[in-house]
């Protein structure tokens, strides 16, 4: 009898459902299974693309890899912005996975910006000084993405 009463009275620790109809529509999308599966697919594809990079690869493969990195960074940034819109800052940063995603996305955006600055400097005859920073950030992004996959999905 006590178990039944406990089960009937049990409530989730945090159940955030927005009252604003526009915010609710975004919340409904980002909390759906389809959105989660889409993000899982993007993480898998991003990990595969990062894993295909190798030493002495052709310029074509390097250019394709850089383009895919920008595309994935934009897509993960859109995910972050949608979740920020849906949960607001307090709800978004209250979830440790979202904080983790936020750090990774910001790191990826910095990586893309540094890569673009580095390419502009190299093409104008400037120093090639930022290459080490972008490679380090890119390697960290690869390691963290694969560790997130293994933790979140048991891979």
């Amino acid at each position: 009898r006590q178990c039944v009463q406990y089960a009937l009275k049990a409530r989730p620790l945090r159940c955030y459902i927005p009252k604003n109809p526009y915010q609710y529509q975004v919340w409904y999308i980002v909390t759906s299974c389809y959105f989660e599966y889409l993000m899982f697919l993007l993480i898998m594809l991003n990990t595969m693309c990062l894993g295909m990079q190798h030493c002495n690869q052709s310029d074509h493969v390097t250019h394709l890899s850089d383009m895919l990195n920008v595309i994935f960074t934009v897509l993960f940034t859109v995910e972050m912005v949608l979740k920020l819109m849906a949960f607001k800052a307090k709800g978004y940063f209250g979830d440790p996975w979202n904080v983790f995603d936020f750090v990774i996305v910001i790191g990826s955006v910095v990586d893309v910006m540094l890569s673009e600055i580095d390419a502009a400097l190299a093409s104008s005859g400037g120093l090639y000084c930022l290459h080490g920073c972008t490679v380090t950030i890119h390697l960290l992004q690869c390691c963290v993405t694969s560790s997130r996959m293994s933790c979140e999905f048991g891979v």
Side-chain angles (χ1 to χ4, degrees), residues 18-146:
K19 301 206 182 336
N20 181 317
Y22 301 111
Q23 185 184 5
Y24 177 80
Q25 289 176 348
V26 176
W27 176 86
Y28 185 79
I29 290 170
V30 300
T31 57
S32 71
C33 284
Y34 298 113
F35 187 80
E36 291 296 323
Y37 289 141
L38 174 66
M39 296 317 300
F40 174 71
L41 177 66
L42 290 176
I43 291 169
M44 292 291 293
L45 290 172
N46 187 29
T47 303
M48 287 174 39
C49 291
L50 290 172
M52 290 188 322
Q53 295 179 6
H54 57 280
C55 292
N56 301 325
Q57 63 188 14
S58 68
D59 289 339
H60 176 71
V61 173
T62 302
H63 180 68
L64 179 64
S65 175
D66 291 343
M67 292 275 280
L68 288 172
N69 186 34
V70 171
I71 290 169
F72 283 119
T73 299
V74 168
L75 291 173
F76 290 132
T77 303
V78 168
E79 175 204 16
M80 180 186 75
V81 169
L82 287 174
K83 284 188 173 184
L84 275 167
M85 289 170 52
F87 298 119
K88 295 187 179 177
K90 184 177 179 183
Y92 180 80
F93 290 110
D95 182 3
W97 279 117
N98 287 337
V99 173
F100 180 73
D101 286 343
F102 179 81
V103 170
I104 298 304
V105 168
I106 296 302
S108 298
V109 169
V110 169
D111 174 48
V112 168
M113 289 182 353
L114 288 177
S115 296
E116 293 301 318
I117 292 169
D118 194 32
L121 287 175
S123 67
S124 67
L127 295 175
Y128 207 66
C129 60
L130 298 175
H131 181 70
C133 294
T134 58
V135 168
T136 304
I137 291 172
H138 203 58
L139 288 174
L140 284 172
Q141 176 188 7
C142 178
C143 293
V144 170
T145 300
S146 62

